[in-house]
Amino acid sequence: MISDKYISTSSNKSSEITFLRLAVGVLLLIILVEGMVLQKTLGMEKTVIVPPVIEKSFWVSGNEVSKSYLEQMAYWYAGLALNVTPSTGEYQKQQFLHFATPSDTGRIAADMALRLDFLSKNNTSTLFTAQTLNTDEKLMKVAIVGDLDTFVGDRRASARRTVFVIGFKYLNGRLYVSEFKETNEQDMFGTGAAGK
């Protein structure tokens, strides 16, 4: 009788150990599957953002942003940089540089300072009227074609058709300006490949 009791207890312990090993194995398998699913979906989430004035919605996902987001931001940056008077230029430059990539801030600041020096020395102001937006989502660049009017005092000194390209980088959940320069209609995105 006592030996039957020991055999039964030993058998129960063996069954419990087998059951616990199976349970741990199933839990490890579940953790492995969850890890694989998490790895696959990481960076695939989309955040839908609505601008202050609702014209179009846009999204950001991983390291990508929607075409409408690039276009709306490029239009805003072009206005900030090109609709300038000598009295508002410095403030608008600082606002613009707040959104520049850290590695490109110096170059963009130097370009804007040259433009502002010219405006103050000649008592001129500029007004940019955008006509068309051309977007390259892969390069994250927007070429804005429009009319740039230059005024001396209160008289229009010149009006010309211009193309400005604005390049972006999406870093750490924030869209930065990495490039702002005048180009031409043959090479809108400033890549050196005419007719692109």
Side-chain angles (χ1 to χ4, degrees):
M1 292 245 185
I2 294 178
S3 64
D4 288 340
K5 182 179 178 184
Y6 287 121
I7 292 174
S8 173
T9 304
S10 177
S11 176
N12 285 342
K13 287 182 180 178
S14 177
S15 296
E16 285 178 19
I17 290 172
T18 303
F19 173 76
L20 290 175
R21 285 181 180 165
L22 280 172
V24 168
V26 168
L27 291 174
L28 286 174
L29 184 63
I30 290 170
I31 290 170
L32 182 65
V33 169
E34 284 182 345
M36 289 172 30
V37 168
L38 183 64
Q39 177 74 23
K40 183 173 176 134
T41 59
L42 196 63
M44 292 184 62
E45 72 280 349
K46 284 188 180 180
T47 306
V48 177
I49 302 169
V50 181
V53 177
I54 300 174
E55 293 173 15
K56 298 178 188 176
S57 64
F58 46 86
W59 53 263
V60 295
S61 175
N63 290 328
E64 298 176 357
V65 297
S66 70
K67 179 180 177 181
S68 61
Y69 186 32
L70 291 174
E71 288 176 349
Q72 289 180 54
M73 296 310 291
Y75 185 80
W76 186 74
Y77 288 124
L80 193 61
L82 299 173
N83 295 330
V84 181
T85 66
S87 60
T88 63
E90 190 58 36
Y91 173 77
Q92 287 178 239
K93 174 184 140 189
Q94 293 307 318
Q95 288 296 308
F96 191 97
L97 293 176
H98 180 70
F99 298 101
T101 54
S103 61
D104 298 306
T105 300
R107 179 180 43 79
I108 293 171
D111 292 345
M112 291 183 87
L114 286 173
R115 196 174 306 124
L116 290 176
D117 285 344
F118 175 81
L119 292 177
S120 9
K121 285 178 184 173
N122 296 301
N123 191 30
T124 59
S125 57
T126 57
L127 174 67
F128 182 73
T129 308
Q131 302 295 323
T132 60
L133 296 149
N134 300 290
T135 308
D136 187 329
E137 291 178 79
K138 291 191 190 304
L139 291 175
M140 291 186 74
K141 290 185 177 187
V142 178
I144 302 178
V145 180
D147 297 323
L148 184 66
D149 296 323
T150 304
F151 294 87
V152 176
D154 60 349
R155 294 190 178 173
R156 185 186 339 212
S158 70
R160 64 186 176 100
R161 176 71 61 156
T162 57
V163 180
F164 285 91
V165 67
I166 302 175
F168 295 99
K169 288 184 182 169
Y170 187 67
L171 304 168
N172 301 323
R174 187 171 171 193
L175 190 67
Y176 290 96
V177 177
S178 62
E179 177 180 26
F180 181 77
K181 66 180 181 180
E182 187 173 351
T183 60
N184 57 58
E185 292 194 35
Q186 289 72 36
D187 184 20
M188 285 188 172
F189 298 107
T191 59
K196 185 169 181 193

